Amino acid sequence: METLENGLRVVVENQPWNPGLSFTLLVPVGAVNDPPDRLGAASMLETWLWKGAGVRDAKAFANALDSLGVSRASGTGIEYTTFSASLLPEGLPATMELYSDLISRPHLPDDAFESVRSLALQELAAIEDQPARKLMKKLRREAFTSAHGQPVEGEKETILSMTPAALRAEYARRYGPGGSVLAVAGGVKPDNVYRLAEEYFGSWSGAVSGEVPVRLSSPHRFHLQQETEQVQIGLFYKDVPPGDYDFYAARLAASILSGGMSSRLFTEVREKRGLVYSVSASPGSVKGFGYLLAHAGTTPSNAQETLDVVRRVIEGLREGVTRAELDRAKIGLRADLVLAGESSRARSASLARDVFILGKPRSLEEIEAEVMDVTLDRIDLFLSRHAYENPWVGTLGPVEVV
Amino acid sequence: METLENGLRVVVENQPWNPGLSFTLLVPVGAVNDPPDRLGAASMLETWLWKGAGVRDAKAFANALDSLGVSRASGTGIEYTTFSASLLPEGLPATMELYSDLISRPHLPDDAFESVRSLALQELAAIEDQPARKLMKKLRREAFTSAHGQPVEGEKETILSMTPAALRAEYARRYGPGGSVLAVAGGVKPDNVYRLAEEYFGSWSGAVSGEVPVRLSSPHRFHLQQETEQVQIGLFYKDVPPGDYDFYAARLAASILSGGMSSRLFTEVREKRGLVYSVSASPGSVKGFGYLLAHAGTTPSNAQETLDVVRRVIEGLREGVTRAELDRAKIGLRADLVLAGESSRARSASLARDVFILGKPRSLEEIEAEVMDVTLDRIDLFLSRHAYENPWVGTLGPVEVV
């Protein structure tokens, strides 16, 4: 990893066998820094940035990217926005120049603003029609009292009251190289990348907004009444964050819960009882805080039993795990790591996130070594001390589950 | 490619750089062969097969796969069911043995049948809560009068009336090596794979059901009334099938419509007018028949304009394309092909599908050569002769779009 003078961190993973490459540019602009009266600003900015930058208007910019064969994506989350590109190595300099324009010289033109607003409203309406997504969004909002619970997509009122001037002010206040990360993976030499990063991003300047400490509400339940066919059930448990001594023990516990066909949730909730088509528990995190999110969708008549069994299985972790379970979880995570190495896009995204969350990248080998280091005694000690209990519980559907 | 004596076709793509590998076992068992009173049988069988096979009950089978670190998946579609595995090379013999048990020596136990039925009903309910998926399922049903329109998930009545004996009869009638494909991609030598395939699948026997010719209704419109926030719009156009002389011209046309940021639909529907957050047109096919499916979700007030613009853009292809558009589409497809080569799972799935649809695999190099061969004259001639017009049009939402 290298840090440019302006604070941009650049990390490269060389995959010499790979004929393609991907990069992810992570900017610390997310829902967590949206002012309460400008919810959705980070997400709207992400859309607006593509409307022309540097010497190109929106159409010319799109043509230039497509002429390079770049498969591009961008997305806004709780803590950051990412801009990614997958491409052939010969296109890297030109593509980096375009992305440099995108984030440091955007036009943010008035005449595209109403279209950006309209897209934000469309996205908000789309969530209303996706019950699982709607519930998990509400669950986050209920659990966090800090701005980590703010909706990435904003709210109807804040989107309607947004102005071009207000959104430009958000750009000026939050888009800068400090806290940002450029991560590259694929068939490319690190020295070449560092040189290109310096050339195209070295003169980028701009402020960044400060970090927000996590605060939580007291665990509680809520219900969203909606005339759906299925009842959606969501649970939010406190967990350990990346960087914690017990992080990999917790990852293995999550895998024992929900990793494979023999995992506890799959076996107890789906295979033995046929309560749900899919059930999952997956670890998530924001800077300095980790959580475990569980989700199931089922019929109204099965909802109570499903909730009870999911809780019993997750909270039963405190009794410890068997050696066979731990061994299977380790083997599964090891295979996942090897297969994750296949994709340059996934690797560049993981590296960018590592640098953002932990301040340094983790190689696949490092992660594997940490996973293998977790003994049965260590995971059982962790599980006896860190009880998964007392979750925030949300349901959505035609009947309330108590 | 090699064909075993029992008819199973085996294809291997060696990726010598790849530390992992994936295989896809494709069996010609899909909704298209479900008898009308047993709709959903293929999908229910896929679930039931995992409930124990060979010398192992369901739990032992799951443990065995997880002990090998296998990331497994299975899915049922219109024409076939696939069973796939991603794993480390040293686990290949044991995993192939397990999958051989799965498809040729399943227990199909009575005591798991009600759980299989319950899961099928859950999946049906889940679709009701996913408006876009619900509409596209109905659109297929409206367009095909042949069994290609049958719902993969079945219907409530046929799932409720299914019996273990009926489902076992479907297994006996349809699971066999003829028409099936085993495709392997990754760090593995072809000769090893052929030897293992012979060892584990060579003695597999069983019938397969015959092919079903495609028949279509007359293009028409329909509307599903539902109190959603967004209106979902779906269009189904006749296109050319894989293997057709014009197949790659049609693929490039679809890419010009919907491939990149500069594509016509993205530009006209989203960027210029802000009508939808996402809009797409993607080619699909069943054996011997190709189609182009377009989808957009928008607010009720924008629905009519969205439908009009999407149709105008797609049907405007008859006027031809520009050289710049064709060049960008070629570059984009070429980059996609290189990046597709990264993933062993995606490659094994594509190879299996190629053999099923075309009778032979296509290498990424072959596809690239075919794409590059399409000149401006050739695509314009194709577009002037094969008009994209007269689609089946479906809408779902609170207002009917005329």
Side-chain angles (χ1 to χ4, degrees):
Chain A
M1 188 170 83
E2 294 211 345
T3 305
L4 304 190
E5 274 183 31
N6 60 7
L8 178 70
R9 288 165 295 176
V10 183
V11 56
V12 188
E13 184 166 288
N14 186 14
Q15 304 175 315
W17 45 264
N18 197 332
L21 69 85
S22 298
F23 68 78
T24 296
L25 182 60
L26 180 156
V27 182
V29 177
V32 75
N33 330 107
D34 283 342
D37 59 341
R38 290 177 183 172
L39 295 180
S43 177
M44 289 178 77
L45 264 181
E46 177 215 325
T47 308
W48 208 12
L49 286 178
W50 293 102
K51 302 291 189 176
V55 298
R56 294 172 181 85
D57 66 10
K59 183 76 190 156
F61 196 89
N63 286 348
L65 274 183
D66 285 352
S67 296
L68 291 161
V70 173
S71 169
R72 61 108 211 171
S74 60
T76 308
I78 304 175
E79 296 185 300
Y80 50 77
T81 301
T82 55
F83 301 89
S84 66
S86 296
L87 64 153
L88 305 185
E90 60 267 27
L92 185 60
T95 308
M96 277 176 65
E97 184 169 14
L98 285 165
Y99 276 62
S100 161
D101 283 347
L102 181 74
I103 56 155
S104 64
R105 285 173 291 276
H107 299 172
L108 305 177
D110 273 339
D111 62 7
F113 183 79
E114 286 309 321
S115 156
V116 171
R117 191 205 304 281
S118 170
L119 294 177
L121 292 170
Q122 297 285 352
E123 182 61 355
L124 212 55
I127 292 175
E128 282 300 307
D129 291 339
Q130 298 173 55
R133 207 173 147 197
K134 184 176 171 183
L135 174 68
M136 298 318 263
K137 173 180 161 180
K138 175 75 171 161
L139 182 55
R140 198 158 53 74
R141 183 129 222 191
E142 291 283 328
F144 289 107
T145 53
S146 54
H148 297 83
Q150 295 187 159
V152 174
E153 309 77 16
E155 289 175 344
K156 197 161 184 184
E157 299 69 38
T158 58
I159 294 170
L160 287 174
S161 66
M162 196 78 72
T163 62
L167 208 46
R168 276 193 205 100
E170 291 301 312
Y171 172 78
R173 185 171 75 84
R174 293 156 73 183
Y175 265 78
S180 293
V181 185
L182 175 68
V184 186
V188 66
K189 294 216 167 64
D191 284 349
N192 280 350
V193 174
Y194 295 136
R195 193 175 46 70
L196 291 169
E198 179 61 45
E199 181 173 351
Y200 294 116
F201 292 95
S203 62
W204 180 24
S205 65
V208 290
S209 52
E211 287 186 19
V212 177
V214 168
R215 286 197 317 274
L216 300 169
S217 68
S218 293
H220 61 275
R221 297 182 164 221
F222 68 90
H223 176 71
L224 298 173
Q225 185 68 27
Q226 193 168 322
E227 294 311 307
T228 50
E229 287 287 313
Q230 291 201 306
V231 174
Q232 302 293 329
I233 300 171
L235 299 101
F236 180 105
Y237 288 89
K238 280 191 228 179
D239 208 339
V240 291
D244 188 287
Y245 172 75
D246 284 321
F247 178 71
Y248 292 98
R251 284 288 286 111
L252 284 159
S255 180
I256 289 167
L257 271 182
S258 184
M261 256 196 115
S262 66
S263 68
R264 292 185 181 185
L265 281 173
F266 193 87
T267 303
E268 294 297 323
V269 185
R270 182 184 145 130
E271 294 298 287
K272 278 198 195 157
R273 295 179 179 81
L275 290 169
V276 300
Y277 193 82
S278 71
V279 56
S280 65
S282 44
S285 58
V286 294
K287 238 181 203 178
F289 179 75
Y291 51 88
L292 183 76
L293 272 182
H295 172 256
T298 186
T299 49
S301 59
N302 282 341
Q304 184 65 57
E305 185 184 356
T306 301
L307 174 58
D308 294 344
V309 177
V310 169
R311 282 198 63 168
R312 196 156 66 232
V313 169
I314 294 177
E315 295 168 28
L317 276 177
R318 71 161 69 84
E319 313 294 336
V321 303
T322 67
R323 181 167 301 279
E325 283 180 316
L326 179 62
D327 287 347
R328 285 198 301 267
K330 282 184 176 182
I331 292 166
L333 283 177
R334 188 173 153 245
D336 287 349
L337 288 169
V338 170
L339 294 160
E342 285 185 357
S343 160
S344 63
R345 171 160 280 185
R347 277 306 290 155
S348 79
S350 297
L351 290 167
R353 189 178 155 77
D354 277 354
V355 174
F356 176 75
I357 295 268
L358 298 169
K360 61 184 172 62
R362 295 175 300 170
S363 70
L364 293 171
E365 293 72 23
E366 276 170 69
I367 300 172
E368 184 181 338
E370 294 271 14
V371 166
M372 292 302 150
D373 249 20
V374 178
T375 60
L376 187 63
D377 285 349
R378 190 169 142 195
I379 191 171
D380 278 349
L381 184 65
F382 162 69
L383 289 170
S384 68
R385 286 181 179 170
H386 175 93
Y388 290 90
E389 61 183 10
N390 210 8
W392 287 255
V393 179
T395 52
L396 179 155
V399 296
E400 182 159 2
V401 183
V402 187
Chain B
M1 189 170 85
E2 295 210 344
T3 304
L4 305 189
E5 274 184 32
N6 60 7
L8 177 70
R9 288 165 294 176
V10 183
V11 56
V12 188
E13 183 166 290
N14 186 15
Q15 304 174 316
W17 45 265
N18 197 332
L21 69 84
S22 297
F23 68 78
T24 296
L25 183 60
L26 180 156
V27 183
V29 178
V32 74
N33 330 107
D34 283 341
D37 59 342
R38 290 178 182 172
L39 295 181
S43 177
M44 288 178 78
L45 264 181
E46 176 215 326
T47 308
W48 207 12
L49 286 178
W50 293 102
K51 303 290 189 177
V55 298
R56 294 172 182 85
D57 66 11
K59 182 74 191 158
F61 196 89
N63 286 349
L65 273 182
D66 285 352
S67 296
L68 290 161
V70 173
S71 168
R72 62 110 209 170
S74 60
T76 309
I78 304 174
E79 295 184 300
Y80 50 77
T81 301
T82 55
F83 301 89
S84 67
S86 296
L87 65 154
L88 305 185
E90 60 267 30
L92 186 60
T95 308
M96 278 175 64
E97 183 168 14
L98 285 165
Y99 276 64
S100 160
D101 283 346
L102 181 74
I103 57 156
S104 65
R105 284 173 292 275
H107 299 172
L108 306 177
D110 273 338
D111 63 7
F113 183 78
E114 286 309 320
S115 157
V116 170
R117 191 204 304 280
S118 170
L119 294 177
L121 292 170
Q122 296 284 353
E123 183 60 357
L124 212 54
I127 292 174
E128 282 300 307
D129 290 340
Q130 298 173 57
R133 205 172 149 199
K134 183 176 171 182
L135 174 67
M136 298 318 263
K137 173 180 162 180
K138 175 75 171 162
L139 183 54
R140 197 158 54 73
R141 183 128 221 192
E142 290 283 329
F144 288 107
T145 54
S146 54
H148 297 84
Q150 295 187 161
V152 174
E153 309 76 16
E155 289 175 345
K156 198 161 183 183
E157 300 68 40
T158 57
I159 294 170
L160 287 174
S161 67
M162 196 77 72
T163 62
L167 208 46
R168 276 192 205 101
E170 290 301 311
Y171 172 78
R173 184 172 76 84
R174 293 155 75 183
Y175 265 78
S180 293
V181 185
L182 175 68
V184 186
V188 66
K189 294 214 166 68
D191 283 349
N192 281 350
V193 174
Y194 295 136
R195 193 175 44 72
L196 290 170
E198 179 61 47
E199 181 174 350
Y200 294 116
F201 292 95
S203 62
W204 180 24
S205 66
V208 290
S209 50
E211 287 186 20
V212 177
V214 169
R215 286 195 319 272
L216 300 169
S217 68
S218 294
H220 60 275
R221 296 183 166 221
F222 68 90
H223 176 71
L224 298 173
Q225 185 69 26
Q226 192 167 324
E227 293 312 307
T228 50
E229 286 288 313
Q230 292 201 306
V231 174
Q232 302 293 330
I233 301 170
L235 298 104
F236 180 106
Y237 288 89
K238 280 191 228 179
D239 207 338
V240 290
D244 189 286
Y245 172 76
D246 284 321
F247 177 71
Y248 292 98
R251 284 288 285 112
L252 284 159
S255 180
I256 288 167
L257 272 182
S258 184
M261 255 195 114
S262 67
S263 68
R264 292 185 181 185
L265 281 174
F266 193 87
T267 304
E268 294 297 324
V269 185
R270 180 182 145 130
E271 294 297 286
K272 279 199 195 155
R273 294 179 179 82
L275 290 168
V276 300
Y277 193 84
S278 72
V279 56
S280 65
S282 45
S285 57
V286 294
K287 239 182 204 177
F289 179 73
Y291 51 88
L292 183 76
L293 272 182
H295 171 256
T298 185
T299 48
S301 59
N302 282 341
Q304 185 66 57
E305 186 183 356
T306 301
L307 174 57
D308 293 344
V309 177
V310 169
R311 282 199 62 168
R312 198 157 64 231
V313 169
I314 294 177
E315 295 168 28
L317 277 177
R318 72 161 68 85
E319 312 295 336
V321 302
T322 68
R323 181 168 301 279
E325 284 181 315
L326 179 62
D327 287 347
R328 286 198 300 268
K330 283 183 175 181
I331 292 167
L333 283 178
R334 188 175 152 245
D336 287 350
L337 289 169
V338 170
L339 293 160
E342 284 186 355
S343 160
S344 63
R345 172 161 278 183
R347 278 305 292 154
S348 80
S350 297
L351 290 167
R353 188 177 156 76
D354 277 354
V355 174
F356 176 76
I357 295 268
L358 298 169
K360 62 184 172 61
R362 296 174 300 170
S363 69
L364 294 171
E365 294 71 24
E366 277 172 68
I367 300 173
E368 184 180 336
E370 294 271 14
V371 167
M372 292 302 149
D373 248 20
V374 177
T375 60
L376 187 62
D377 285 350
R378 189 169 142 196
I379 190 170
D380 278 349
L381 184 65
F382 162 69
L383 290 170
S384 69
R385 286 183 180 169
H386 175 92
Y388 289 89
E389 61 184 11
N390 210 7
W392 287 256
V393 180
T395 52
L396 179 154
V399 296
E400 181 157 2
V401 183
V402 186

